Amino acid sequence: MHQDAIKEIVDEICAALTGRLAGRVFQLSAFSFAIDFRIRAGRYLFLSADPGLPRFYLVSRRGRDLEKQSTAPSAFGQAMRSNLAGGKLLSIEQD
């Protein structure tokens, strides 16, 4: 992905999520998750660590739809849920 595109995504997510508390974590596949930061219009942070297609961005979904789409959490998914829930996102930086 082009560095300018990554910077724009980071800026958008930083503006929307900095200072927000993490809520529910939905595991959508073995490598992808949606995290509820309780922002307007049903927007969630989508994260994918799929080696062939890593990505992150904000998605608009209904919580009910994410529940239906989610899979049973893996050990990593359970760890994300227990460690992120209630945590505040302090900052986001492009590495």
Side-chain angles (χ1 to χ4, degrees), residues 67-82:
E67 287 175 7
K68 288 179 186 177
Q69 187 181 355
S70 65
T71 62
S74 63
F76 180 72
Q78 290 175 347
M80 280 186 64
R81 285 180 176 177
S82 65

Side-chain angles (χ1 to χ4, degrees), residues 40-79:
R40 67 187 183 286
R43 296 176 74 196
Y44 298 83
L45 178 62
F46 176 82
L47 303 168
S48 175
D50 185 334
L53 189 59
R55 58 199 189 276
F56 74 107
Y57 47 83
L58 295 174
V59 295
S60 294
R61 299 282 188 279
R62 294 185 325 180
R64 188 174 8 187
D65 294 337
L66 287 173
E67 287 175 7
K68 288 179 186 177
Q69 187 181 355
S70 65
T71 62
S74 63
F76 180 72
Q78 290 175 347

